[in-house]
Amino acid sequence: MRPLTEIEKKAQVAVKKLRVETLLKGDPFMIYHKNLPKGKYYMEYPDGKIRIVSVSRTLNDFVIEKELTSHQADQIRDRLNAKYL
């Protein structure tokens, strides 16, 4: 794996800050991960839950595909280096 460029490092810091601010406001934070199937995303909620969601164009909302266990959510946060608030 190649080292991050300076701009990538700055972007990573900005996304982490945005995540914390969003969750502290009480809003969910969507996380894209390349290992999820196309059109699926992690949605992290202020209460610590993480769900896999997809976008419904007909409902104009997210559809919950699966709720992760607390252990699975912790593993995702560890993998993404995103501490639980």
Side-chain angles (χ1 to χ4, degrees), residues 10-85:
K10 288 179 182 180
Q12 194 175 54
V13 169
V15 169
K16 285 182 180 186
K17 182 180 176 194
L18 179 62
R19 174 185 165 264
V20 169
E21 290 172 355
T22 301
L23 292 172
L24 287 175
K25 283 192 320 187
D27 295 326
F29 187 76
M30 185 169 61
I31 304 166
Y32 165 80
H33 196 276
K34 64 183 178 183
N35 290 346
L36 285 174
K38 184 178 179 180
K40 309 274 188 212
Y41 308 92
Y42 291 117
M43 188 71 79
E44 183 178 20
Y45 294 85
D47 65 2
K49 292 181 181 174
I50 295 181
R51 297 178 175 119
I52 297 175
V53 300
S54 61
V55 178
S56 170
R57 297 195 194 294
T58 55
L59 298 175
N60 197 28
D61 202 356
F62 295 102
V63 175
I64 298 170
E65 303 286 337
K66 178 182 177 182
E67 184 166 332
L68 303 182
T69 66
S70 59
H71 179 70
Q72 291 169 322
D74 289 341
Q75 287 179 321
I76 296 298
R77 278 189 277 275
D78 286 346
R79 220 176 300 147
L80 299 175
N81 195 22
K83 295 179 180 165
Y84 177 61
L85 301 177

